């Protein structure tokens, strides 16, 4: 290798490192949003250990998807927004003390289902509008949204999380189909 | 047959958009197109100064670290040149600041100044000025006098200042700044009031 080639090779290696660090920086912003959401969820009446476990999984998921970039990153961003919107209702209910005790359980369940439906519609509508990599956007958004929304439903137990997941899928699927058809027709 | 500039631009736009979207396979084509263009631009902007290569590399690192911010609706080359221009401006400002600091700190020695052959007239003017300056210096505090003399002789690097440890340069610059301000006041008081 000539000295010029060697120098060019070194510059390319530095540029590649700069690119990867830049990608990591973007992923870290998503990770920080996930960490903030986890901290906020800790304020609610869920189990701290469970919240930390789900928060850790959410952080790892958005970091990896954010670092990958492209459709995966767009999906992670969408999923985080939709998931946090879904989690807002049950977190607010839990923090206000409405859902405490056995009598509050049906209300907690209802809030989780309603939140899941909101998140599902958001993911379905937005993911189906993606220009490229629609399936990847939908998959990563759905995964991240489920994790983020689970942060809010933890206090309602596994039943609450299952109800939220089911509502998200049931509400999200028609939204995907309708939006995709509309785009196909136009 | 070589590609037309428009085609190069469109190709670069496409590959840059892929890279911004996280497609690592697009890195090499973008690097191959961007580096020579940035190097040429920075070289022209800085008149091929010895630092041009460093500035071009810095600009390239910025371009790749901010790749995810690239808007595919914009021409990639224009976006890259905008980043490189910013780096060039920053470098030019730093260089100007370094020169100012060097002048303020008395790092400019007679050896680094252009040599102008003295005429009889300029020598007489120089003598007059030196006498006038000596006059004003006599009216100043001994501390200020020493600081100004040290700066004029490039004496910042010897004696007590050099052994004073880190931060001595900054302290000296501040003292010199104050001494120069007082010299200005004294000069005006002595010579302008005399007019």
């Amino acid at each position: 290798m000539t000295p010029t080639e060697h120098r060019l090779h070194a510059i390319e290696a530095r540029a590649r490192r700069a690119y990867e660090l830049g990608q990591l920086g973007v992923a870290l912003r998503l990770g920080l949003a996930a960490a903030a959401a986890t901290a906020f969820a800790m304020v609610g009446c869920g189990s701290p250990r469970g919240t930390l476990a789900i928060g850790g999984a959410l952080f790892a998921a958005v970091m990896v998807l954010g670092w990958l970039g492209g459709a995966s990153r767009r999906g992670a961003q969408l999923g985080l927004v939709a998931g946090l919107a879904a989690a807002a209702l049950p977190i607010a209910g839990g923090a206000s003390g409405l859902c405490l005790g056995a009598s509050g359980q049906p209300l907690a369940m209802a809030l989780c289902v309603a939140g899941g439906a909101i998140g599902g519609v958001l993911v379905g509508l937005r993911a189906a509008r993606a220009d490229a990599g629609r399936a990847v956007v939908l998959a990563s958004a759905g995964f991240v949204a489920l994790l983020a929304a689970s942060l809010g439903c933890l206090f309602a137990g596994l039943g609450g999380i299952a109800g939220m997941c089911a509502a998200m899928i049931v509400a999200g699927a028609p939204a995907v189909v309708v939006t995709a058809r509309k785009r196909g027709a136009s | 047959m070589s590609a037309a500039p428009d085609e190069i631009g469109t190709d670069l736009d496409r590959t840059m958009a892929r890279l911004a979207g996280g497609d690592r396979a697009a890195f090499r084509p973008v690097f191959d197109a961007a580096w020579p263009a940035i190097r040429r631009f920075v070289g022209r902007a800085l008149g091929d100064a010895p630092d041009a290569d460093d500035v071009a590399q810095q600009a390239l690192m910025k371009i790749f670290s901010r790749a995810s911010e690239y808007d595919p609706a914009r021409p990639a080359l224009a976006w890259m040149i905008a980043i490189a221009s910013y780096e060039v401006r920053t470098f030019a400002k730093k260089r100007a600041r370094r020169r100012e600091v060097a002048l303020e700190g008395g790092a400019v020695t007679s050896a680094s100044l252009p040599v102008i052959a003295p005429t009889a007239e300029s020598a007489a003017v120089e003598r007059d000025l030196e006498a006038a300056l000596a006059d004003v210096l006599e009216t100043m505090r001994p501390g200020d006098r020493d600081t100004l003399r040290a700066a004029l002789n490039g004496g910042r690097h010897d004696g007590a200042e050099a052994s004073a440890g880190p931060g001595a340069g900054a302290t000296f610059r501040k003292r010199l700044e104050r001494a120069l301000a007082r010299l200005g006041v004294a000069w005006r008081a002595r010579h302008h009031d005399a007019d």
Side-chain angles (χ1 to χ4, degrees):
Chain A
M1 197 184 274
T2 67
T4 312
E5 282 171 343
H6 186 76
R7 195 176 138 272
L8 199 63
H9 194 70
I11 295 171
E12 189 188 332
R14 278 187 62 206
R16 206 176 276 274
R17 250 195 323 272
Y19 173 72
E20 293 301 346
L21 280 174
Q23 297 291 100
L24 208 60
V26 180
L28 199 61
R29 284 203 282 274
L30 285 174
L32 285 176
T38 307
F40 189 63
M42 296 281 279
V43 179
C45 45
S47 96
R49 206 176 291 174
T51 305
L52 276 179
I54 293 178
L58 178 66
F59 180 82
V62 295
M63 281 298 289
V64 171
L65 294 170
W67 175 74
L68 284 174
S72 309
R73 184 186 295 156
R74 286 200 301 280
Q77 285 165 337
L78 170 60
L80 206 52
V81 172
L84 294 180
L89 265 183
I91 285 180
S96 64
L98 286 174
C99 320
L100 288 177
S103 59
Q105 203 59 18
L107 179 61
M109 188 71 174
L111 288 175
C112 286
V113 170
I118 292 170
V121 170
L122 276 176
V123 168
L125 288 178
R126 301 293 302 177
R129 280 188 199 153
D131 290 324
R134 201 177 296 168
V136 178
V137 173
L138 185 63
S140 55
F143 180 61
V144 171
L146 283 175
L147 280 175
S150 299
L151 280 176
C153 292
L154 205 60
F155 76 98
L158 281 179
I161 292 177
M164 181 274 297
C165 289
M168 195 175 272
I169 292 164
V170 168
V176 174
V177 174
V178 171
T179 314
R181 275 203 185 149
K182 268 188 189 169
R183 277 182 68 91
S186 61
Chain B
M1 203 169 79
S2 63
D6 275 359
E7 281 173 37
I8 295 168
T10 320
D11 272 356
L12 185 60
D13 294 349
R14 268 198 294 267
T15 45
M16 189 63 215
R18 279 173 47 211
L19 188 68
D23 182 355
R24 269 77 175 170
F27 179 88
R28 194 64 197 267
V30 171
F31 176 83
D32 287 344
W35 171 241
I38 297 299
R39 181 64 190 85
R40 230 178 4 252
F41 170 77
V42 174
R44 263 189 228 145
L46 294 176
D48 272 320
D51 298 308
D53 206 56
D54 291 342
V55 177
Q57 282 189 43
Q58 242 165 350
L60 193 77
M61 299 312 139
K62 277 262 170 72
I63 286 165
F64 280 105
S65 68
R66 290 170 56 183
S68 59
E69 294 170 25
Y70 168 67
D71 173 8
R74 286 181 64 189
L77 194 61
W79 177 75
M80 291 173 180
I81 294 295
I83 293 176
S85 306
Y86 182 80
E87 285 302 307
V88 167
R89 273 201 306 273
T90 308
F91 170 77
K93 270 185 203 163
K94 271 189 198 159
R95 189 169 57 180
R97 178 81 196 114
R98 272 204 304 269
R99 279 184 187 156
E100 266 173 36
V101 169
L103 282 168
E104 283 170 12
V108 174
T109 59
S110 55
S112 65
L113 294 171
V115 179
I116 301 166
T119 61
E121 192 185 357
S122 69
V125 168
E126 199 174 318
R127 269 198 308 276
D128 284 351
L129 277 173
E130 273 171 12
L133 181 64
D135 246 15
V136 176
L137 280 174
E138 283 312 309
T139 66
M140 294 180 72
R141 288 195 313 214
D144 286 343
R145 264 204 311 265
D146 293 345
T147 306
L148 289 166
R149 281 195 183 117
L152 285 170
N153 299 329
R156 182 163 69 99
H157 303 291
D158 31 77
E161 283 295 340
S163 58
T171 313
F172 181 80
R173 270 200 300 279
K174 275 184 195 149
R175 259 178 24 211
L176 181 62
E177 233 169 71
R178 285 196 291 269
L180 281 169
R182 283 196 277 268
L183 174 69
V185 173
W187 181 276
R188 275 191 297 275
R190 183 129 187 133
H191 296 287
H192 287 222
D193 293 349
D195 292 341

